[in-house]
Amino acid sequence: MHPVRKRRLTIVIFLLAGLGIAVGLTVYAFRQNINLFYDPTAIMDGEAPHNVVIRAGGMVEDNSVVREPNSLKVRFRVTDFKSTVPMEYDGILPDLFAEGQGVVATGRLRDDGVFVADSVLAKHDENYMPPEVAKSLKKKTGDDAAAEAVKTVVTE
Amino acid sequence: MIPEFGHFALILALMLATLLALVPLAGSITRRPDLQAFARPLASGQFVFVAIAFGCLAWAFVTDDFSVAYVANNSNSLLPWYYKFSAVWGSHEGSLLLWILILTAWTVAVAIFSRRLPTELVSLVLSIMGMISVAFLLFILITSNPFTRLLPNVPADGADLNPLLQDFGLVIHPPMLYMGYVGFSVAFAFSIAALINGRMDGAWARWSRPWTTVAWCFLSLGIALGSWWAYYELGWGGWWFWDPVENASVLPWLAGTALMHSLAVTEKRGVFKSWTVLLAIVTFSLSLLGTFLVRSGVLTSVHAFAADPARGKFLIGVLAVTIIGSLTLYAFRAPVVHARVRYGSLSREIFLLLNNVLLMAAMLLVLVGTLYPLVLDYLGAGSLSVGKPFFDLTFSPVAIAVALLLGAGVFSRWKRTDGGWLGRQLLWPAAISLVLAVIVPLWLGHLEPWAFAGCFAAAWVSVATFRDLWARSASRQGRWTGLRRLTRSYYGMVLGHLGVAVVMAGATVVTNYGVERDVRMVPGETVEMSGLTFHFDSLRHRQGPNYSAEQGRFVITREGEPVTTLYPEKRVYAVQRNVMTEAGIDGGLFRDLFVALGEPVGDDAWAVRIQYKPLVRWVWLGAIFMALGGALAIADRRYRMRVTRESPETAKQEPSSPEAVTGGVS
């Protein structure tokens, strides 16, 4: 083969190999590491799979937070003002976690319908909630107050 | 009046930037040196006016001018003066102003340090940078003016700077990061200029290299600072979250690393020219993408600013024009540049090509993981997230592959490397690394596949680097003379590669052997972990300048001997009623002890997070090594000496003395 063509071929092969590595790893990792978001209504309607890592979010219902006396285990309910999902978490809650705040939790839905969270995210100031939560709340209530609340995020 | 001056200065800067974008370009097309000569003064003028605008905003902050909306939203009279100053870039508008300030500063730097370059080229480069600054000045003036007043209802006091940002790390993190992001615009401008005038030779690569390296150093430091800040300020002791915004900074870093290495080949051997140009375009586009991701509010993250759709649209417009424009130019002009240099299939060229392939593969992985959820969401196909497990799983093998390649690559020679010789060189490093990769994990606890792989990769890179240093410094006049004879850029390379090893070692060990426990503790209680006793001694109330805090006192002992005392805090900031966790950290070269107060859980009890983090500091130390390596490489004498244009033919004929062979890679 002509040396120039040969060299081009090597380069092309290398590039394809790199692309192949990237695609292969991505596909492999995507099979199990993508977490879908469900709102409480979807979970209550049985749309969410059980015992698979998913994300769920909404507002923490007022007067729903209960702590266990001798551990860090905490129970609370998350609502989209239409349906409510009970959640359980063992660990330290974020600083901004509070009743009436928007949260997004990552975890699994147990067969008894309780969402067991591995991590809970609450975001930065009282005006703000995670976009997924705001969107689903807006869908549910048609309420512009929720949309209004989303508008301000002032952090870096 | 001062804020109006600032606004006016920005408008003037836009005028000058527009002239800078047009006049020298016209001069270059019509070949009129008188028009080209406008480039340098216009670049300086643009910088001066942006600096004035920046100064005006800073002045408004320092003097508590709450009639300026941006100041009112991001400052407070109680804030210490240094945070008032850093609050200038604490939110969207001001951080864009900083972005532009740094861009114009880079432009002036190019104008000053390129006296030896042909005026035609410099004016073209400056003109391209002027175009970028036109786009961003328009953006700031149209969608994000920091000087907007709140009249006539001037608030009595400001809404305070977000407490997360009231921290030294955050004072310098954004400027560092932006220096990196924006610095890649120089390599971009050089590449576009080379595409336009069709002169793409060794000299072009030599000019672009130091600029790229400087930008890369800043970006490395900026990323490390961000990680360090997240570690101690976000309160939970993680040092990397694969947060989309972190990814946005890693993307240009990966592409920039590839670009540095590819520029080395282009400078030394005059090959891969088209690829290098493409990489320069990609790197800067990724910088713009990072800016877009962070600034447009499409992300849920700590970095998300107010989501104003106009801003997102403008930025994506800039991004689209840049990418489409430069790629179109590339498509038409790139085939013009040709090289007739030969190299074998086992040569340094090929090793560096592979390095580029792997780095770009890593970049693609991160890019896909970051953009996939956004694209899906935009198409209305559902909301999903791609988290840490995805990135850990995909990025780690590629990173290890890069390290393995690196160890072999440092021994390779330009043009052709003898396979058998290379194998003999690698025998000892392989053996030593293998032993280390088994001993270190066993010593730390237990052997695991990932720990083994990570330790092997780190050991492999460092042993190979030292082996190469040893071989190259051999000299008949003695070791010392040999060491002194090696170039600065070679030492830069050594340091940079050691930095890679240090980061890998740190990341591997802290990930696999870090211990973390969340416990419920009452003052007086004691917890045992990793051979240490953590005693929650007491809790007291403390008043800071603009916050009040609950401060815990933790006495840590090992078998009765005191190790340290930590004072983690839970702060409530007065103005916004924000709660912040200040962790108590005992830092050390080999391990960090980390105690953070979670929340009160009733009956005087607190949720407490206790962590033992071995080698966590190495992650940032490695980044410092890399940046120092880069600094050494650009201090190399050859960037200050030869002035004349060099064709690839002369580059090819350079003797294969150690200097010529090694000087290139940094």
Side-chain angles (χ1 to χ4, degrees):
Chain A
M1 221 191 301
H2 192 278
V4 174
R5 287 208 196 123
K6 193 175 163 190
R7 196 171 65 218
R8 282 199 191 132
L9 188 67
T10 350
I11 293 177
V12 168
I13 287 172
F14 278 143
L15 289 177
L16 286 179
L19 203 64
I21 296 169
V23 171
L25 280 169
T26 310
V27 170
Y28 174 70
F30 264 1
R31 282 202 316 220
Q32 42 192 321
N33 290 304
I34 282 188
N35 311 321
L36 285 160
F37 179 85
Y38 294 91
D39 55 39
T41 307
I43 293 174
M44 279 310 160
D45 290 350
E47 285 171 29
H50 286 214
N51 301 315
V52 174
V53 177
I54 57 170
R55 295 187 311 141
M59 306 295 265
V60 181
E61 207 172 63
D62 284 337
N63 305 317
S64 73
V65 179
V66 180
R67 290 186 183 283
E68 244 176 44
N70 286 314
S71 71
L72 291 177
K73 203 169 255 183
V74 54
R75 291 194 179 82
F76 51 93
R77 288 194 302 276
V78 166
T79 178
D80 57 3
F81 303 117
K82 200 170 161 198
S83 308
T84 303
V85 174
M87 288 198 180
E88 224 179 78
Y89 178 64
D90 190 3
I92 298 181
L93 289 163
D95 290 338
L96 295 163
F97 179 92
E99 291 174 350
Q101 285 277 356
V103 291
V104 170
T106 308
R108 292 160 206 270
L109 195 58
R110 217 161 52 193
D111 287 330
D112 61 1
V114 175
F115 187 90
V116 184
D118 308 318
S119 78
V120 175
L121 245 82
K123 288 273 174 162
H124 302 281
D125 64 66
E126 61 273 27
N127 303 320
Y128 177 66
M129 62 183 104
E132 294 100 328
V133 176
K135 216 192 278 172
S136 93
L137 286 184
K138 203 180 162 198
K139 255 194 328 221
K140 293 288 164 334
T141 55
D143 176 12
D144 280 345
E148 203 46 43
V150 195
K151 263 173 52 188
T152 355
V153 197
V154 201
T155 29
E156 184 173 13
Chain B
M1 273 308 278
I2 299 281
E4 278 68 33
F5 273 131
H7 194 181
F8 187 55
L10 267 188
I11 296 171
L12 284 177
L14 175 65
M15 304 288 158
L16 292 177
T18 316
L19 287 176
L20 176 61
L22 297 176
V23 175
L25 184 68
S28 163
I29 291 168
T30 58
R31 302 199 177 279
R32 283 182 53 185
D34 54 334
L35 292 183
Q36 293 169 14
F38 273 105
R40 284 196 171 100
L42 281 172
S44 317
Q46 175 196 226
F47 170 71
V48 168
F49 282 106
V50 173
I52 290 174
F54 189 86
C56 290
L57 188 60
W59 179 258
F61 266 98
V62 175
T63 56
D64 292 328
D65 186 350
F66 297 121
S67 68
V68 176
Y70 181 70
V71 180
N73 289 331
N74 293 291
S75 184
N76 183 276
S77 50
L78 291 178
L79 209 60
W81 71 267
Y82 40 90
Y83 291 140
K84 278 182 187 163
F85 182 70
S86 73
V88 172
W89 54 84
S91 187
H92 175 82
E93 290 86 350
S95 67
L96 262 175
L97 189 56
L98 178 70
W99 206 100
I100 296 174
L101 179 72
I102 290 174
L103 176 65
T104 52
W106 276 102
T107 314
V108 167
V110 172
I112 292 173
F113 294 110
S114 59
R115 296 263 175 232
R116 291 163 177 169
L117 271 63
T119 317
E120 196 189 341
L121 180 80
V122 178
S123 58
L124 208 50
V125 168
L126 292 177
S127 165
I128 290 154
M129 295 186 74
M131 293 177 200
I132 303 167
S133 101
V134 167
F136 277 87
L137 281 165
L138 271 178
F139 179 52
I140 200 168
L141 283 168
I142 293 173
T143 71
S144 344
N145 181 5
F147 297 108
T148 310
R149 294 267 202 177
L150 287 173
L151 292 173
N153 300 318
V154 176
D157 209 335
D160 205 3
L161 179 64
N162 187 314
L164 280 171
L165 308 183
Q166 298 183 21
D167 174 80
F168 176 71
L170 251 279
V171 172
I172 49 174
H173 162 68
M176 286 287 182
L177 207 57
Y178 287 4
M179 284 296 281
Y181 271 5
V182 181
F184 286 129
S185 70
V186 183
F188 172 79
F190 267 100
S191 295
I192 298 291
L195 280 177
I196 291 175
N197 69 16
R199 286 215 192 101
M200 214 167 288
D201 41 28
W204 158 74
R206 172 165 304 162
W207 292 325
S208 312
R209 264 186 92 186
W211 297 101
T212 310
T213 310
V214 176
W216 180 86
C217 290
F218 277 113
L219 190 57
S220 308
L221 284 180
I223 295 173
L225 270 169
S227 155
W228 178 57
W229 168 79
Y231 170 73
Y232 71 80
E233 187 69 22
L234 286 183
W236 305 117
W239 52 273
W240 195 256
F241 301 90
W242 293 110
D243 175 289
V245 172
E246 291 175 325
N247 297 348
S249 66
V250 166
L251 291 171
W253 188 87
L254 288 168
T257 313
L259 175 62
M260 264 193 332
H261 290 85
S262 158
L263 272 172
V265 188
T266 308
E267 187 201 344
K268 287 289 161 192
R269 302 279 301 138
V271 289
F272 300 169
K273 286 174 185 167
S274 318
W275 173 246
T276 306
V277 170
L278 188 61
L279 267 182
I281 294 172
V282 167
T283 307
F284 184 61
S285 302
L286 288 171
S287 296
L288 287 182
L289 178 73
T291 312
F292 164 70
L293 286 178
V294 180
R295 295 290 159 246
S296 62
V298 293
L299 298 174
T300 317
S301 105
V302 251
H303 295 71
F305 286 128
D308 175 353
R311 291 175 179 169
K313 280 187 192 131
F314 195 110
L315 277 176
I316 207 149
V318 172
L319 189 61
V321 169
T322 312
I323 295 178
I324 295 171
S326 47
L327 287 185
T328 310
L329 186 65
Y330 179 79
F332 280 107
R333 304 289 299 202
V336 177
V337 282
H338 261 303
R340 295 178 179 279
V341 182
R342 300 237 176 135
Y343 51 87
S345 52
L346 192 67
S347 61
R348 180 160 277 208
E349 288 91 331
I350 290 295
F351 271 105
L352 287 171
L353 179 65
L354 264 175
N355 142 305
N356 270 232
V357 168
L358 287 177
L359 284 170
M360 292 318 268
M363 190 279 286
L364 278 177
L365 289 172
V366 180
L367 188 70
V368 168
T370 312
L371 291 187
Y372 184 65
L374 296 176
V375 172
L376 223 55
D377 191 39
Y378 181 75
L379 298 175
S383 169
L384 55 80
S385 77
V386 177
K388 202 168 159 39
F390 168 81
F391 293 106
D392 285 346
L393 189 65
T394 54
F395 193 78
S396 312
V398 181
I400 287 169
V402 169
L404 295 182
L405 187 72
L406 196 170
V410 289
F411 294 110
S412 64
R413 299 281 187 256
W414 295 116
K415 294 180 195 169
R416 212 181 66 81
T417 311
D418 181 46
W421 175 82
L422 188 64
R424 283 193 299 281
Q425 297 291 310
L426 292 175
L427 206 59
W428 275 111
I432 296 173
S433 310
L434 204 62
V435 173
L436 280 173
V438 174
I439 289 178
V440 173
L442 282 179
W443 179 61
L444 286 165
H446 44 106
L447 195 59
E448 278 178 62
W450 277 119
F452 170 78
C455 289
F456 182 81
W460 168 255
V461 169
S462 36
V463 175
T465 303
F466 279 121
R467 172 87 180 73
D468 187 57
L469 179 65
W470 185 256
R472 287 191 199 285
S473 61
S475 157
R476 242 173 259 148
Q477 284 91 40
R479 184 65 55 186
W480 181 238
T481 325
L483 281 171
R484 286 212 339 205
R485 198 178 292 156
L486 292 169
T487 59
R488 282 187 199 155
S489 69
Y490 178 76
Y491 281 114
M493 172 184 100
V494 166
L495 211 54
H497 287 165
L498 287 179
V500 173
V502 171
V503 172
M504 290 197 100
T508 305
V509 170
V510 74
T511 308
N512 288 288
Y513 301 103
V515 189
E516 173 187 317
R517 273 178 69 188
D518 292 348
V519 285
R520 179 194 159 96
M521 289 178 93
V522 182
E525 251 184 293
T526 294
V527 169
E528 304 272 340
M529 198 181 84
S530 307
L532 294 158
T533 308
F534 294 77
H535 178 67
F536 187 0
D537 184 62
S538 60
L539 191 74
R540 73 184 185 97
H541 191 77
R542 190 174 85 84
Q543 196 64 40
N546 51 352
Y547 60 84
S548 62
E550 298 298 318
Q551 189 185 56
R553 186 182 134 94
F554 284 79
V555 179
I556 297 157
T557 50
R558 184 191 293 277
E559 290 158 6
E561 295 292 310
V563 176
T564 182
T565 308
L566 296 178
Y567 299 93
E569 284 183 3
K570 201 76 186 175
R571 291 182 184 171
V572 179
Y573 280 80
V575 180
Q576 295 183 352
R577 307 301 304 164
N578 268 337
V579 180
M580 290 283 307
T581 307
E582 286 289 312
I585 302 173
D586 178 48
L589 187 55
F590 294 102
R591 62 105 188 86
D592 270 23
L593 300 177
F594 185 108
V595 178
L597 286 178
E599 56 200 318
V601 288
D603 307 330
D604 292 338
W606 281 75
V608 179
R609 172 163 296 182
I610 299 175
Q611 283 174 301
Y612 175 81
K613 301 192 90 73
L615 299 199
V616 64
R617 275 174 201 243
W618 289 33
V619 177
W620 311 304
L621 191 69
I624 295 174
F625 273 36
M626 288 186 212
L628 284 179
L632 259 181
I634 44 177
D636 198 78
R637 286 165 60 201
R638 76 175 185 286
Y639 292 122
R640 288 193 299 278
M641 283 163 34
R642 278 170 287 184
V643 189
T644 47
R645 185 184 301 269
E646 232 179 88
S647 67
E649 273 69 33
T650 54
K652 193 180 78 183
Q653 285 155 11
E654 273 183 32
S656 28
S657 69
E659 181 179 341
V661 178
T662 62
V665 200
S666 48

